[in-house]
Amino acid sequence: MSRERDNYENSGWRRFERWMEGETDPLQGRVEVKRPGQETKKVVQIPIDYQKIEEAVYNTDKNLNMKFFRVFYKVMSAILCFGIIAVLLWTVSYLPVTGNPSNPNNNEVSARYIESGLQETGAVNVVTGMILDYRAFDTFGESCVLFIASCCVLILLRIDLGSSSGQLKRRLADADDRYYEPKNDVILQQVAFILVPLIFIFGIYIVLNGHLSPGGGFSGGAVLGSGLILYLNAFGFKKTEEIFTEKRYRRITLAALSFYCLAKSYSFFTGANHIPSGIPLGTPGAIISSGLILPLNICVGMVVACTMYTFYACSERRDVKMAAHLLMNVEETASMILFGVGFTMLLLHRNLIKKIMGLNIMDTAVYLFLAAKGYIEGRKVPIIVDGIQDASAYINPIPSGLVLTGIVVSVSVTAIMLSLTIRLYQRYGSLDIDEILMQYRKEER
Amino acid sequence: MEFVQNFPFFSIILSMFAGIVSSVLDGKWAKRVSLCLVTAVIAMSAAILVWTLRTGESYTYMMGHFPAPWGNEIRAGVLEALTATIFGVVMLLSIVGGMNWIFVDVEPAKTNLFFIMVDLMLSSLLAMIYTNDLFTAYVFVEINTIAPAA
């Protein structure tokens, strides 16, 4: 039987425990502390008229400094944006010409993916083989980005009526779209009745043929998710939850991600220890082929579809030479201008939704840039046809994989930003950043 | 290859798996899983540290059947193992130190989501420490920025 030590209270472990519990103040005895009661001077509370302060600070007719600052901010933002666009365009003018096979990004990495991809992965679609076999660890990370983003949206927007305060509960209940159910839009319901099964079949086709043709888990999952969203819009939450509840979503995501994790762990472990995996690749071109790629595509598709639906359901509830070179690199030039437009929106607009749109335009500009860098003039998409496995027959598949990753990350980040915006709107009743900051400062005081 | 050399991979994949499993557990079980995970990660990181100190060399670990730059690769040495051990200890102290507040500050129905963030943040930290690939680092930086913000 254990016995408490005689000097347990003074032991090192107990002192550490007290510190962890927050019972000990590390500054006690080291700094002079004046308790509130000891002060002799009486503090007079002056009521603060926030309306007056707001009027004095934000009314540009009265506050000339604010008026000057706003104009100065806009001018400086415009100068900054044009400066950035100019620097980016200047950089593009020095980049190698788009579509040239001798560009440095068309190296031995992309050559091996095309020339040996079919034998090593069994996938006819080189991009799918690359992301789900060669670089499956990155793709697992991407799936986890989607998973963590859906968890974030649930944290921010899920209505937990059991633990919320009365006022918050009422406000959240008002924001809940279920208030408007049952939905009686006959046209939408009839259209959804015909379209939803077709969308599902198309989504499943894209997922199952991801290793044979353009598509795969990410794109097929997005199609399946949009089918679910259409069904939700047409028939409402009550009917949708007969087939798809939050519990079911969690179980599907758990099953899909667990399978991915276990299957690829086996693959990573055997690969690192130089043990043959023993998974047959099948006949290239057949539906049951390419080893683990088909089941992994199904897993990714399920995660993407569930995540898209969760995002929606939660938010619903709430010089001449230089110029010539620039024209030769027209895609890169357009992407840099697009990037500048997005950056300008981010800086100049005070509305949070418009800022998010600006960020998305910047994202799109980067995808366009990457896609342009992968393009090689006169070559085909990297899907092996007629057994031709020559690297000189296809475009570079690596940028396509990078764009896919970028899109996944961008969707996740956008969903989180929109969720935060919804929460801010619910709390402050405004999307204007200045207004939100003003109200926040009021609360702080 | 000695078995201990698999530990960096085990640490990362276990952290990710714990995060995924916690989505169907309640808050208390998610907490237990998280504490066990962090303890296991500290033990494995310490074992790698001892092994790398003893051999005096670092090594690369192929994540799959393809070598870098075609496939993914992680790298473990004294610095990586030491950093992972320190991060694990800091994570354990943070969870234990804030244990009482977690169940006060976070709504009861969302406690498991909090521990998902903890597990995945640890996995992203470990992946960033060990990875030998810039693109893998980019993917895990995303997890690392989202999880603490959540």
Side-chain angles (χ1 to χ4, degrees):
Chain A
M1 203 173 139
S2 63
R3 185 175 69 85
E4 194 174 286
R5 275 171 55 181
D6 297 336
N7 60 346
Y8 176 67
E9 279 301 315
N10 292 324
S11 66
W13 174 253
R14 182 64 190 125
R15 280 205 298 276
F16 173 71
E17 207 178 347
R18 277 205 298 270
W19 174 71
M20 293 292 278
E21 297 287 340
E23 290 170 14
T24 322
D25 184 356
L27 296 176
Q28 203 170 11
R30 294 185 190 176
V31 291
E32 191 189 347
V33 181
K34 202 174 234 183
R35 298 195 185 284
Q38 294 169 339
E39 286 170 5
T40 48
K41 203 176 169 185
K42 208 173 183 181
V43 181
V44 182
Q45 285 282 340
I46 304 165
I48 303 166
D49 189 346
Y50 289 108
Q51 195 69 38
K52 213 172 177 178
I53 294 171
E54 203 174 332
E55 184 77 5
V57 175
Y58 288 105
N59 191 337
T60 46
D61 294 334
K62 290 180 183 172
N63 188 347
L64 287 177
N65 282 340
M66 177 57 81
K67 192 176 184 178
F68 171 74
F69 173 74
R70 284 201 172 152
V71 173
F72 179 75
Y73 179 82
K74 279 183 185 169
V75 171
M76 288 311 290
S77 301
I79 291 171
L80 182 66
C81 292
F82 281 116
I84 285 176
I85 293 173
V87 169
L88 290 173
L89 288 177
W90 181 68
T91 313
V92 166
S93 73
Y94 284 96
L95 287 177
V97 178
T98 305
N100 190 348
S102 60
N103 284 352
N105 59 326
N106 302 320
N107 51 23
E108 74 279 5
V109 181
S110 54
R112 176 167 169 175
Y113 288 151
I114 294 170
E115 288 170 356
S116 312
L118 197 62
Q119 285 79 25
E120 290 178 341
T121 68
V124 175
N125 183 343
V126 177
V127 177
T128 303
M130 188 181 81
I131 62 171
L132 285 175
D133 206 338
Y134 285 107
R135 306 192 65 88
F137 184 52
D138 293 338
T139 311
F140 185 43
E142 285 166 44
S143 304
C144 284
V145 170
L146 276 175
F147 172 66
I148 201 168
S150 67
C151 289
C152 281
V153 173
L154 282 173
I155 289 174
L156 288 166
L157 298 181
R158 191 170 66 187
I159 303 167
D160 190 9
L161 292 174
S163 58
S164 304
S165 68
Q167 197 190 353
L168 183 66
K169 211 184 287 185
R170 266 197 307 281
R171 200 149 48 86
L172 293 175
D174 286 344
D176 191 351
D177 263 24
R178 287 157 202 250
Y179 180 77
Y180 301 103
E181 290 186 6
K183 302 215 172 189
N184 291 318
D185 191 329
V186 181
I187 298 172
L188 184 62
Q189 285 180 351
Q190 289 299 320
V191 170
F193 185 74
I194 299 163
L195 276 185
V196 168
L198 293 176
I199 291 173
F200 280 163
I201 291 167
F202 184 54
I204 291 166
Y205 171 83
I206 293 174
V207 172
L208 295 182
N209 281 274
H211 56 304
L212 304 177
S213 58
F218 286 113
S219 28
V223 173
L224 288 171
S226 58
L228 273 170
I229 292 168
L230 176 61
Y231 188 86
L232 174 70
N233 267 312
F235 300 104
F237 279 99
K238 205 176 168 190
K239 199 143 189 216
T240 309
E241 283 186 347
E242 284 174 14
I243 52 166
F244 200 77
T245 57
E246 190 187 318
K247 211 173 191 178
R248 202 160 285 171
Y249 148 73
R250 282 196 205 181
R251 282 179 185 166
I252 292 172
T253 311
L254 172 75
L257 285 176
S258 299
F259 178 80
Y260 195 120
C261 184
L262 295 173
K264 282 326 285 185
S265 295
Y266 168 74
S267 185
F268 296 154
F269 183 78
T270 52
N273 290 280
H274 305 288
I275 304 165
S277 72
I279 298 164
L281 294 179
T283 313
I287 189 83
I288 309 288
S289 66
S290 67
L292 283 173
I293 290 180
L294 176 63
L296 293 182
N297 251 337
I298 296 170
C299 292
V300 173
M302 289 198 298
V303 173
V304 173
C306 291
T307 309
M308 273 192 64
Y309 176 77
T310 311
F311 287 163
Y312 185 81
C314 283
S315 61
E316 179 69 0
R317 221 180 282 176
R318 329 275 149 219
D319 82 14
V320 179
K321 192 182 169 191
M322 184 177 163
H325 205 96
L326 287 176
L327 284 174
M328 284 164 86
N329 282 345
V330 66
E331 294 86 357
E332 284 95 330
T333 307
S335 69
M336 294 310 157
I337 293 169
L338 209 57
F339 189 89
V341 170
F343 192 61
T344 313
M345 274 184 83
L346 189 70
L347 277 183
L348 288 181
H349 282 286
R350 288 186 298 168
N351 187 305
L352 287 174
I353 298 283
K354 287 179 183 166
K355 279 185 187 291
I356 294 170
M357 283 165 73
L359 268 174
N360 271 284
I361 291 174
M362 287 165 76
D363 283 343
T364 313
V366 176
Y367 308 148
L368 179 61
F369 179 80
L370 287 172
K373 287 284 89 179
Y375 174 71
I376 302 172
E377 206 166 348
R379 296 193 185 177
K380 293 176 184 167
V381 289
I383 292 172
I384 309 289
V385 283
D386 303 329
I388 302 165
Q389 280 181 264
D390 187 359
S392 62
Y394 304 100
I395 62 163
N396 189 340
I398 299 171
S400 311
L402 295 177
V403 170
L404 211 53
T405 308
I407 291 171
V408 170
V409 170
S410 159
V411 166
S412 308
V413 173
T414 306
I416 295 166
M417 286 192 294
L418 286 172
S419 311
L420 275 170
T421 309
I422 291 170
R423 278 304 292 265
L424 284 169
Y425 185 76
Q426 282 171 351
R427 191 175 179 93
Y428 299 108
S430 173
L431 290 173
D432 188 305
I433 189 77
D434 285 348
E435 175 78 25
I436 291 170
L437 279 173
M438 177 75 186
Q439 291 200 37
Y440 171 72
R441 282 182 197 133
K442 264 187 215 173
E443 276 182 6
E444 243 190 351
R445 281 177 201 139
Chain B
M1 181 180 272
E2 287 184 40
F3 187 68
V4 70
Q5 287 179 276
N6 290 295
F7 283 1
F9 155 65
F10 287 161
S11 308
I12 299 169
I13 217 82
L14 262 180
S15 314
M16 294 170 95
F17 190 60
I20 295 162
V21 168
S22 296
S23 65
V24 288
L25 301 176
D26 67 8
K28 284 196 172 161
W29 273 103
K31 178 191 84 178
R32 284 171 197 153
V33 168
S34 200
L35 283 173
C36 292
L37 165 78
V38 182
T39 314
V41 165
I42 294 170
M44 284 192 281
S45 305
I48 305 159
L49 181 61
V50 171
W51 190 86
T52 47
L53 278 172
R54 197 159 46 83
T55 56
E57 59 184 37
S58 63
Y59 65 94
T60 54
Y61 185 92
M62 220 160 58
M63 296 290 273
H65 291 84
F66 310 104
W70 298 279
N72 294 112
E73 183 181 83
I74 55 175
R75 181 180 180 279
V78 176
L79 180 65
E80 286 84 0
L82 182 67
T83 317
T85 313
I86 293 171
F87 279 15
V89 171
V90 171
M91 181 66 88
L92 184 67
L93 288 176
S94 310
I95 298 175
V96 174
M99 192 62 79
N100 293 341
W101 295 106
I102 293 166
F103 289 92
V104 174
D105 288 346
V106 184
E107 289 174 40
K110 293 178 182 171
T111 336
N112 69 327
L113 296 174
F114 173 84
F115 286 105
I116 292 174
M117 300 300 150
V118 170
D119 298 343
L120 288 179
M121 191 168 81
L122 182 63
S123 78
S124 66
L125 285 171
L126 292 169
M128 283 195 291
I129 290 168
Y130 287 121
T131 188
N132 211 9
D133 188 315
L134 198 60
F135 190 69
T136 310
Y138 159 69
V139 172
F140 283 91
V141 160
E142 285 302 327
I143 297 182
N144 200 250
T145 47
I146 294 173

